[in-house]
Amino acid sequence: MNDATLWPGHNYPLGATYDGYGTNFSVFSEVADKVELCLFDDRGRETRLALPEVTGFVWHGYHPGIEPGQRYGFRVTGPYDPKQGLRCNPRKLLLDPYAKAVIGELQWNEAIFGYRFGDPDGPANRRDSARYVPRCVVSNPWFDWGHDTPPRTPWSRTVIYEVHVKGFTQRHPDIPEPLRGTYAGLAHPAAINHLHELGVTAVELLPVHRYISEHHLVERGLTDYWGYNSIAYLAPHDGYASASGLRAIAEFKEMVKTLHAAGIEVILDVVYNHTAEGNHLGPTLSLKGFDNQAYYRLMDDDPRYYMDYTGTGNSMNMRHPHVLQLIMDSLRYWVEEMHVDGFRFDLAATLARELHDVDRLSTFFEVIQQDPVISQVKLIAEPWDVGEGGYQVGNFPPLWSEWNGRYRDTVRDFWRGADATLPELGYRFTGSSDLYQSDRRRPSASINFVTAHDGFTLRDLVSYNDKHNEANHEDNRDGTDDNRSWNCGVEGETDDPEVLALRARQQRNLLTTLVLSQGVPMLVGGDELGRTQHGNNNGYCQDNEISWFDWDDVDVELFAFTRELLDLRREHPVFRRRRFFEGKAVRGEQFHDIAWLTPEGELMSDEHWNTGFAKSLQIFLNGSGLASLDDRGRDVVDDSFLLLINGHHEPLEFILPIEGPSAPLEVVLDTTLLRLPERRDRKVYASGAQLQVESRSMLVLRETVT
């Protein structure tokens, strides 16, 4: 290896590409004077070989003797002038931006920084970083996928389960201990059985790109648990593999293959808005050392500093073609090579900023739209960032679905008893047509959620008024204060049976609203089990029992209720329409596809909608008015349902409408009960009947068919 001479090789594909005989290496840098390939043997000894060719600012070379398993990195010689945004430093070993495998842990040491501590604008730090940084590994893409077939679940049938690979499996008693916390653990029959029994159709995995823990967390004895600190966009995080080295790639693929065989899609939460290199005081680990000006958004008037729309120190430069290429190549790799089914884009508004404003016609959206691979998978935006004008719910292009933050806020407000919420609840329950219909999107554009990884769990949402993040060691300053939660009268844990009963009912109310709303429901992993983080609403650094599922403390009644609720949604397309309600008559002039009624059974007027203190209503969903086709192009007809919603703090008498239902109505769901009633136990009512609805509860009634 010491005597090897690199052949010219090719400028594409970027990264390290093994062809069966040797490996081609290719990296981009517009400012480099020289790029060296650094090869490491089993003892960690380094051999440096200058890449012999540069084509269009892409440096490349081919080594005929390099096989999978070879550890490598790069060094870049070029200008170092932080005041001009130039940060090349050949004393820093750099990770390949296209690395498909990265092993080893980062050690925080002054050597990994481009400057000497205390002098960030001074001369380059000449301490070598190699002993402190991870290594890239040449990989072999071959894998026996067998007959793997993506489930391609239609949006109208999709139920998303947001989950952390490690948190879900780390304490599961039926998963073998060596597999806990790993991709293999998530593919274990015990994990698959839970997902199947619950009835979800897709797992949305918190970030699995290779990431590192921030320095301030390591200093406090914590780690980055969520993983929103990416450093390699094509490499699966090896901390979730049951064995080191290249095992992470094969294990991730095996997990996807197993989930697909079970009919479950895999959606990745991806973080392309920033990297782990931080701001001007952050380390030099990869992109910063290759070409800082190209990869990052710098301040126009002082390029030593970074534009920060993410709150993490830097933002990717979406105006540069090689940044767009890196993101698109990463996305295609995860679809074509790793067989994933879609992506949820963290702080996606940042990706649409070409100048300063968020631009729905930006180049990023254009390249996604025209790409024959990426445009065909599920695309979900977190439609905001922390910059000015960054809240963009409803403003993404037609190809996209969005995390609907307005849905979350409205449903939380309604069930905690906030005034003047009915009009907003009407829009959110019916798929948010006010946000998505104008550009021809459908209800599936709205990813509905009440809780997410970021914030309270469902159980904590009804148990805490305030956050309790002391374990994060930030004096409880971190995490949002806008929780829109209600503790039902007691803060935190309690033995009061009345408070516990109310909390259990509130959880069922929130879940029922979520699952029966038009759009795509997203559950947070563990909410169906009553998982608590003891009031911590920002568990990003809690890689411990605070965040891990406690499978020994499971709310079995809540799980059964959630499972049966999802069964109800799956069996009845009236709750998962493919198109928005039209308000048209269908079965005669008095029957519409949807009708809004007062508790007295009268059609809602503007006065009813605008009464600020009103917190109760009836919703009639006409099964003959779906205005939809099934997957085979046939008209869809379903049962009709009547929802009775009482958000008041006292019981109310409801009168079932005379017009609308054409048959008696049976109660199929009552949130005052721990389970959905069995058919033999269902109460039946005629039109015009009076019945009392408990405070803060819901009833779902179905037309009986004889």
Side-chain angles (χ1 to χ4, degrees), residues 93-400:
L93 183 70
L94 304 177
L95 293 173
D96 180 0
Y98 279 75
K100 298 179 179 65
V102 177
I103 62 172
E105 295 299 321
L106 179 74
Q107 299 179 50
W108 287 95
N109 184 280
E110 186 182 32
I112 69 175
F113 294 84
Y115 60 92
R116 295 302 299 268
F117 286 173
D119 191 13
D121 295 327
N125 180 359
R126 295 185 57 79
R127 291 190 60 191
D128 196 282
S129 69
R131 64 181 294 187
Y132 303 105
V133 298
R135 304 286 190 258
C136 307
V137 185
V138 176
S139 66
N140 187 342
W142 186 88
F143 177 79
D144 183 8
W145 283 102
H147 299 289
D148 178 62
T149 302
R152 298 193 180 280
T153 306
W155 271 120
S156 61
R157 294 180 177 271
T158 297
V159 178
I160 297 173
Y161 189 75
E162 190 197 30
V163 68
H164 190 284
V165 170
K166 183 175 183 180
F168 182 79
T169 61
Q170 183 66 24
R171 303 176 70 186
H172 200 299
D174 296 328
I175 295 176
E177 190 168 347
L179 303 184
R180 294 177 188 172
T182 70
Y183 304 119
L186 190 56
H188 188 271
I192 300 292
N193 290 342
H194 179 81
L195 299 173
H196 254 190
E197 187 177 1
L198 180 59
V200 298
T201 69
V203 290
E204 182 177 301
L205 304 182
L206 267 67
V208 296
H209 288 165
R210 184 55 156 85
Y211 65 86
I212 62 174
S213 292
E214 298 94 323
H215 188 208
H216 70 92
L217 292 179
V218 175
E219 286 186 316
R220 297 202 299 265
L222 301 170
T223 60
D224 189 322
Y225 172 68
W226 285 350
Y228 289 92
N229 205 38
S230 303
I231 196 60
Y233 289 137
L234 282 79
H237 188 65
D238 61 326
Y240 301 148
S242 59
S244 60
L246 297 178
R247 175 61 187 169
I249 300 175
E251 193 169 314
F252 183 91
K253 291 179 176 179
E254 192 65 43
M255 176 195 71
V256 173
K257 181 179 176 181
T258 303
L259 287 166
H260 281 179
I264 298 171
E265 293 183 305
V266 178
I267 298 171
L268 301 188
D269 194 335
V270 290
V271 189
Y272 294 118
N273 53 75
H274 75 279
T275 77
E277 291 187 293
N279 61 16
H280 64 291
L281 299 178
T284 299
L285 303 174
S286 183
L287 306 181
K288 189 180 287 187
F290 278 105
D291 196 328
N292 187 60
Q293 291 178 326
Y295 282 111
Y296 294 115
R297 290 287 301 272
L298 306 180
M299 301 292 290
D300 292 333
D301 57 346
D302 194 347
R304 86 183 75 183
Y305 299 120
Y306 295 76
M307 298 288 287
D308 183 11
Y309 297 113
T310 66
T312 60
N314 64 57
S315 302
M316 293 289 281
N317 182 14
M318 302 305 296
R319 299 176 294 184
H320 198 285
H322 277 279
V323 175
L324 287 170
Q325 182 182 12
L326 171 60
I327 293 173
M328 293 302 294
D329 286 347
S330 170
L331 291 169
R332 286 193 210 96
Y333 175 79
W334 286 97
V335 173
E336 296 181 323
E337 293 291 336
M338 308 295 263
H339 287 207
V340 304
D341 305 283
F343 304 94
R344 178 265 189 188
F345 292 78
D346 177 66
L347 299 181
T350 298
L351 303 176
R353 293 182 183 270
E354 290 201 342
L355 295 173
H356 176 72
D357 294 333
V358 178
D359 184 1
R360 63 181 296 172
L361 300 178
S362 70
T363 305
F364 173 71
F365 292 134
E366 291 175 351
V367 296
I368 291 286
Q369 179 73 39
Q370 61 80 41
D371 189 273
V373 175
I374 307 307
S375 64
Q376 300 307 304
V377 300
K378 288 182 166 71
L379 301 174
I380 304 169
E382 182 184 34
W384 51 77
D385 62 18
V386 300
E388 182 180 353
Y391 192 79
Q392 294 291 320
V393 173
N395 290 332
F396 274 65
L399 195 65
W400 292 73

Side-chain angles (χ1 to χ4, degrees), residues 574 586-587 591-594 620-626 639-640:
V574 72
V586 293
R587 288 205 233 159
F591 299 92
H592 292 72
D593 54 6
I594 187 171
F620 177 67
L621 304 176
N622 195 330
S624 297
L626 291 183
D639 298 326
S640 295

